[in-house]
Protein backbone atom coordinates (compact mmCIF):
# COMPACT_ATOMS: atom_id res chain seq x y z
CA UNK A 1 0.00 0.00 0.00
CA UNK A 2 0.93 3.64 -0.25
CA UNK A 3 3.28 5.03 2.36
CA UNK A 4 3.58 8.54 3.73
CA UNK A 5 4.08 11.06 0.96
CA UNK A 6 5.41 14.61 1.18
CA UNK A 7 5.39 17.42 -1.32
CA UNK A 8 7.38 19.10 -2.59
CA UNK A 9 10.49 16.96 -2.32
CA UNK A 10 12.66 20.06 -2.60
CA UNK A 11 11.85 23.70 -1.96
CA UNK A 12 14.17 26.64 -2.43
CA UNK A 13 12.93 29.98 -1.16
CA UNK A 14 14.30 33.39 -0.37
CA UNK A 15 14.74 34.68 3.14
CA UNK A 16 11.56 36.33 4.35
CA UNK A 17 9.19 34.34 2.15
CA UNK A 18 6.32 32.10 3.24
CA UNK A 19 6.33 28.35 2.55
CA UNK A 20 3.90 25.47 2.92
CA UNK A 21 4.95 21.85 3.17
CA UNK A 22 2.41 19.09 2.69
CA UNK A 23 2.15 15.62 4.21
CA UNK A 24 -0.20 12.80 3.18
CA UNK A 25 -0.19 10.12 5.88
CA UNK A 26 -0.93 6.45 5.44
CA UNK A 27 -4.66 6.00 4.97
CA UNK A 28 -6.42 5.41 8.28
CA UNK A 29 -3.55 6.62 10.46
CA UNK A 30 -4.91 9.01 13.03
CA UNK A 31 -1.60 10.18 14.50
CA UNK A 32 0.67 12.49 12.49
CA UNK A 33 4.04 13.95 13.45
CA UNK A 34 6.31 16.63 12.00
CA UNK A 35 10.06 16.67 12.55
CA UNK A 36 12.95 18.58 11.07
CA UNK A 37 16.41 17.20 10.54
CA UNK A 38 19.56 19.20 10.01
CA UNK A 39 22.68 17.69 8.49
CA UNK A 40 24.44 15.35 10.89
CA UNK A 41 21.65 15.50 13.46
CA UNK A 42 18.77 13.26 14.40
CA UNK A 43 15.19 14.34 13.68
CA UNK A 44 13.88 17.05 16.01
CA UNK A 45 10.22 16.85 17.03
CA UNK A 46 8.02 19.79 16.03
CA UNK A 47 4.33 18.92 16.44
CA UNK A 48 1.99 15.95 16.86
CA UNK A 49 -1.63 15.64 15.74
CA UNK A 50 -4.16 13.13 16.96
CA UNK A 51 -7.01 13.46 14.50
CA UNK A 52 -7.60 17.11 13.65
CA UNK A 53 -6.18 18.60 16.81
CA UNK A 54 -2.60 19.40 17.74
CA UNK A 55 -2.02 17.20 20.78
CA UNK A 56 1.51 18.46 21.36
CA UNK A 57 3.10 21.48 19.68
CA UNK A 58 5.89 21.93 22.19
CA UNK A 59 8.58 21.43 19.54
CA UNK A 60 7.62 24.36 17.33
CA UNK A 61 10.59 26.72 17.63
CA UNK A 62 8.65 30.00 17.47
CA UNK A 63 5.44 31.57 16.22
CA UNK A 64 6.64 31.63 12.62
CA UNK A 65 5.86 27.92 12.49
CA UNK A 66 2.30 26.66 12.31
CA UNK A 67 0.68 23.40 11.23
CA UNK A 68 -2.86 22.33 10.45
CA UNK A 69 -4.71 19.10 9.80
CA UNK A 70 -8.27 20.27 9.14
CA UNK A 71 -9.85 16.95 8.12
CA UNK A 72 -7.70 14.61 10.14
CA UNK A 73 -5.74 13.34 7.16
CA UNK A 74 -3.49 15.66 5.13
CA UNK A 75 -1.38 18.09 7.13
CA UNK A 76 0.35 21.31 6.10
CA UNK A 77 3.33 22.82 7.88
CA UNK A 78 3.48 26.56 7.34
CA UNK A 79 6.56 28.70 7.90
CA UNK A 80 6.30 32.48 7.78
CA UNK A 81 9.16 34.95 7.20
CA UNK A 82 11.63 32.14 6.54
CA UNK A 83 15.18 32.46 7.83
CA UNK A 84 18.36 30.76 6.63
CA UNK A 85 18.38 28.77 9.85
CA UNK A 86 15.13 27.12 8.81
CA UNK A 87 17.00 25.21 6.10
CA UNK A 88 16.63 21.51 6.88
CA UNK A 89 14.81 18.36 5.83
CA UNK A 90 11.26 18.40 7.15
CA UNK A 91 10.01 14.90 7.88
CA UNK A 92 6.45 13.77 8.40
CA UNK A 93 5.48 10.49 10.06
CA UNK A 94 2.21 8.77 10.81
CA UNK A 95 1.05 5.93 13.03
CA UNK A 96 -2.26 4.09 13.47
CA UNK A 97 -2.98 5.89 16.74
CA UNK A 98 -1.50 7.50 19.83
CA UNK A 99 -1.09 4.08 21.44
CA UNK A 100 1.04 2.84 18.54
CA UNK A 101 4.77 3.33 19.00
CA UNK A 102 5.90 2.56 15.46
CA UNK A 103 5.99 5.62 13.22
CA UNK A 104 6.20 5.46 9.43
CA UNK A 105 8.22 8.28 7.96
CA UNK A 106 7.81 10.01 4.65
CA UNK A 107 10.74 10.87 2.37
CA UNK A 108 10.89 14.44 3.61
CA UNK A 109 10.96 17.89 2.07
CA UNK A 110 14.38 19.49 1.75
CA UNK A 111 13.91 23.21 2.43
CA UNK A 112 16.66 25.61 1.46
CA UNK A 113 16.36 29.27 2.43
CA UNK A 114 18.73 31.51 0.48
CA UNK B 1 15.39 17.85 29.36
CA UNK B 2 16.68 14.77 27.70
CA UNK B 3 20.17 13.76 26.67
CA UNK B 4 20.93 10.98 24.20
CA UNK B 5 24.55 9.99 23.56
CA UNK B 6 25.86 7.61 20.90
CA UNK B 7 29.11 7.36 18.93
CA UNK B 8 29.33 9.48 15.82
CA UNK B 9 30.82 6.87 13.52
CA UNK B 10 31.75 3.20 13.48
CA UNK B 11 33.28 0.94 10.87
CA UNK B 12 33.00 -2.83 10.54
CA UNK B 13 33.72 -5.62 8.11
CA UNK B 14 31.16 -7.45 6.02
CA UNK B 15 30.06 -10.64 7.81
CA UNK B 16 31.13 -9.40 11.24
CA UNK B 17 29.12 -8.36 14.31
CA UNK B 18 28.88 -4.77 15.51
CA UNK B 19 27.39 -3.27 18.67
CA UNK B 20 26.20 0.34 18.70
CA UNK B 21 25.83 1.77 22.19
CA UNK B 22 23.50 4.47 23.40
CA UNK B 23 23.17 6.12 26.78
CA UNK B 24 20.27 8.32 27.75
CA UNK B 25 19.22 10.61 30.55
CA UNK B 26 15.56 11.47 30.72
CA UNK B 27 12.80 11.89 33.26
CA UNK B 28 9.62 9.87 32.91
CA UNK B 29 11.28 7.33 30.62
CA UNK B 30 8.87 5.12 28.66
CA UNK B 31 11.00 3.21 26.18
CA UNK B 32 13.92 3.22 23.77
CA UNK B 33 13.73 3.25 19.97
CA UNK B 34 16.23 2.32 17.30
CA UNK B 35 15.76 3.58 13.76
CA UNK B 36 17.84 2.99 10.63
CA UNK B 37 18.35 5.82 8.15
CA UNK B 38 20.12 5.40 4.82
CA UNK B 39 21.66 8.53 3.36
CA UNK B 40 19.03 10.77 1.81
CA UNK B 41 16.17 8.56 2.94
CA UNK B 42 13.59 8.52 5.72
CA UNK B 43 14.21 6.72 9.02
CA UNK B 44 12.76 3.23 9.29
CA UNK B 45 11.73 1.61 12.55
CA UNK B 46 13.90 -1.19 13.91
CA UNK B 47 12.88 -1.74 17.53
CA UNK B 48 11.24 -0.38 20.66
CA UNK B 49 12.34 -1.68 24.07
CA UNK B 50 10.33 -1.08 27.20
CA UNK B 51 11.55 -3.86 29.50
CA UNK B 52 15.10 -4.73 30.48
CA UNK B 53 16.79 -7.37 28.40
CA UNK B 54 17.57 -8.41 24.88
CA UNK B 55 15.04 -8.58 22.06
CA UNK B 56 16.07 -10.36 18.91
CA UNK B 57 14.64 -9.74 15.46
CA UNK B 58 16.49 -11.56 12.73
CA UNK B 59 20.02 -10.23 12.30
CA UNK B 60 19.26 -7.25 14.58
CA UNK B 61 18.91 -7.35 18.37
CA UNK B 62 18.31 -4.53 20.82
CA UNK B 63 19.15 -4.45 24.52
CA UNK B 64 17.91 -2.17 27.27
CA UNK B 65 18.98 -1.55 30.87
CA UNK B 66 16.62 0.97 32.45
CA UNK B 67 18.61 1.21 35.69
CA UNK B 68 21.79 2.12 33.78
CA UNK B 69 20.15 4.32 31.14
CA UNK B 70 21.83 2.19 28.50
CA UNK B 71 20.89 0.45 25.30
CA UNK B 72 22.68 -1.17 22.43
CA UNK B 73 21.82 -2.34 18.94
CA UNK B 74 23.57 -5.51 17.82
CA UNK B 75 23.91 -6.25 14.12
CA UNK B 76 25.06 -9.73 13.09
CA UNK B 77 26.31 -11.06 9.75
CA UNK B 78 26.86 -7.55 8.50
CA UNK B 79 26.01 -6.80 4.90
CA UNK B 80 27.09 -3.87 2.77
CA UNK B 81 23.49 -2.63 2.74
CA UNK B 82 23.69 -2.18 6.53
CA UNK B 83 25.84 0.91 5.94
CA UNK B 84 23.54 3.63 7.30
CA UNK B 85 22.97 5.92 10.24
CA UNK B 86 21.46 4.25 13.32
CA UNK B 87 19.37 6.55 15.47
CA UNK B 88 18.80 5.94 19.16
CA UNK B 89 15.74 7.71 20.58
CA UNK B 90 14.03 7.82 23.97
CA UNK B 91 10.31 8.24 24.61
CA UNK B 92 9.18 9.82 27.85
CA UNK B 93 6.36 11.61 29.58
CA UNK B 94 3.65 9.11 28.74
CA UNK B 95 3.95 9.48 24.99
CA UNK B 96 5.66 7.64 22.16
CA UNK B 97 7.22 10.80 20.75
CA UNK B 98 10.94 10.00 20.35
CA UNK B 99 13.76 12.34 21.24
CA UNK B 100 16.51 11.36 18.86
CA UNK B 101 20.26 11.27 19.32
CA UNK B 102 22.56 12.48 16.56
CA UNK B 103 22.87 9.01 15.09
CA UNK B 104 25.79 6.65 14.57
CA UNK B 105 27.05 6.41 11.00
CA UNK B 106 27.98 2.77 10.37
CA UNK B 107 30.29 2.01 7.47
CA UNK B 108 30.52 -1.62 6.41
CA UNK B 109 33.49 -2.43 4.20
CA UNK B 110 34.36 -5.63 2.30
Amino acid sequence: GAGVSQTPSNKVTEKGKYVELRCDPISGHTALYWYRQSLGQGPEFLIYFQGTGAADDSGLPNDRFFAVRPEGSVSTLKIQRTERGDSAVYLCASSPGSSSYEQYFGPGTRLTVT
Amino acid sequence: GQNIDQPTEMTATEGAIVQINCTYQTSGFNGLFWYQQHAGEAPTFLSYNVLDGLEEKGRFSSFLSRSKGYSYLLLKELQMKDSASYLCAAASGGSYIPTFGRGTSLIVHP
Side-chain angles (χ1 to χ4, degrees):
Chain A
V4 177
S5 63
Q6 294 185 245
T7 54
S9 55
N10 280 283
K11 176 71 176 178
V12 180
T13 191
E14 293 180 348
K15 179 177 178 295
K17 299 289 188 183
Y18 168 82
V19 296
E20 290 190 352
L21 312 179
R22 176 187 168 107
C23 172
D24 279 87
I26 293 172
S27 178
H29 281 195
T30 61
L32 185 146
Y33 307 79
W34 282 100
Y35 299 84
R36 71 176 174 181
Q37 186 173 24
S38 300
L39 193 63
Q41 304 291 322
E44 173 192 6
F45 169 74
L46 296 176
I47 187 169
Y48 154 56
F49 287 90
Q50 180 56 44
T52 60
D56 185 347
D57 64 357
S58 62
L60 295 177
N62 52 60
D63 62 5
R64 295 187 298 106
F65 288 74
F66 189 70
V68 296
R69 195 186 185 200
E71 297 178 358
S73 178
V74 170
S75 176
T76 305
L77 178 65
K78 308 180 180 192
I79 311 175
Q80 299 177 322
R81 304 184 304 280
T82 52
E83 299 177 357
R84 292 193 180 89
D86 298 335
S87 296
V89 175
Y90 288 80
L91 294 165
C92 175
S94 71
S95 70
S98 59
S99 59
S100 303
Y101 53 76
E102 184 171 351
Q103 295 182 20
Y104 300 82
F105 282 81
T109 293
R110 181 175 297 279
L111 176 66
T112 304
V113 182
T114 62
Chain B
Q2 300 186 58
N3 188 40
I4 313 291
D5 194 33
Q6 54 182 127
T8 303
E9 186 175 294
M10 299 182 70
T11 60
T13 305
E14 192 176 16
I17 299 173
V18 71
Q19 177 175 313
I20 303 174
N21 297 323
C22 171
T23 57
Y24 63 89
Q25 292 178 310
T26 181
S27 56
F29 176 77
N30 290 338
L32 197 289
F33 292 93
W34 285 97
Y35 276 82
Q36 179 191 59
Q37 186 175 28
H38 285 99
E41 297 183 11
T44 55
F45 172 85
L46 292 177
S47 64
Y48 180 63
N49 292 59
V50 175
L51 302 176
D52 285 358
L54 186 69
E55 293 191 8
E56 299 186 60
K57 193 185 296 185
R59 294 190 299 114
F60 292 9
S61 301
S62 56
F63 172 85
L64 177 66
S65 168
R66 296 176 70 109
S67 62
K68 295 182 179 177
Y70 168 69
S71 173
Y72 68 73
L73 181 69
L74 192 71
L75 292 76
K76 304 176 186 176
E77 301 168 16
L78 280 173
Q79 302 175 10
M80 299 296 288
K81 68 178 182 179
D82 296 330
S83 293
S85 180
Y86 290 86
L87 299 161
C88 173
S92 63
S95 83
Y96 291 119
I97 299 173
T99 296
F100 286 90
R102 299 178 69 167
T104 297
S105 178
L106 174 66
I107 301 168
V108 180
H109 55 84

